[in-house]
Amino acid sequence: QVQLVESGGDLVQAGGSLRLSCVASGRVLSINNMGWYRQAPGKQRELVASITRVGATSYADSVLGRFTISTDNAKKTVYLQMNSLKAEDTAVYYCNADKILTVRGWQYDCWGQGTQVTVSS
């Protein structure tokens, strides 16, 4: 069973930066599209950034120009570099892979456990 494990969440002041990481642990052969989502208290989970297997990226309007998603395929890791953080970026951040090929076959719609990002104003 492949798991996605996020790290890097922290308490940071407004204007600061953080880099989140999400590694796919287990016997992973390849990963399709990946994305970072976030959920603030009382709000629905929203897509923040995504990256396709060939490296095409897209971003929510609220983070465009401040956040950057990238992958290291060799390390089976996706990153989210977050700059110029604002109080409204406070949320639990989750990574997602729409499908992962393992030695036992495909796993679909895989989620990590989440990492807390808190931005103080």
Side-chain angles (χ1 to χ4, degrees):
Q1 184 80 2
V2 171
Q3 291 185 323
L4 297 178
V5 181
E6 300 103 333
S7 62
D10 206 344
L11 170 64
V12 64
Q13 288 188 336
S17 298
L18 282 176
R19 189 176 81 154
L20 306 183
S21 300
C22 172
V23 61
S25 64
R27 302 180 71 179
V28 175
L29 298 179
S30 69
I31 304 174
N32 202 44
N33 304 322
M34 299 195 76
W36 283 96
Y37 290 73
R38 67 186 180 188
Q39 187 166 21
K43 295 187 177 181
Q44 289 189 332
R45 190 173 296 190
E46 63 173 350
L47 177 63
V48 174
S50 63
I51 186 166
T52 69
R53 193 168 184 273
V54 296
T57 59
S58 64
Y59 299 91
D61 288 343
S62 59
V63 307
L64 191 62
R66 300 187 297 122
F67 290 11
T68 303
I69 188 171
S70 61
T71 57
D72 183 330
N73 292 328
K75 295 182 179 179
K76 303 293 189 286
T77 300
V78 61
Y79 303 98
L80 185 67
Q81 177 66 42
M82 306 187 295
N83 299 327
S84 303
L85 283 162
K86 305 175 181 180
E88 51 263 43
D89 295 319
T90 295
V92 178
Y93 284 71
Y94 300 89
C95 75
N96 170 270
D98 64 350
K99 58 181 182 180
I100 298 175
L101 180 60
T102 77
V103 294
R104 295 188 176 184
W106 290 100
Q107 285 184 208
Y108 296 92
D109 197 26
C110 306
W111 291 89
Q113 82 289 349
T115 186
Q116 176 71 47
V117 172
T118 303
V119 183
S120 63
S121 56

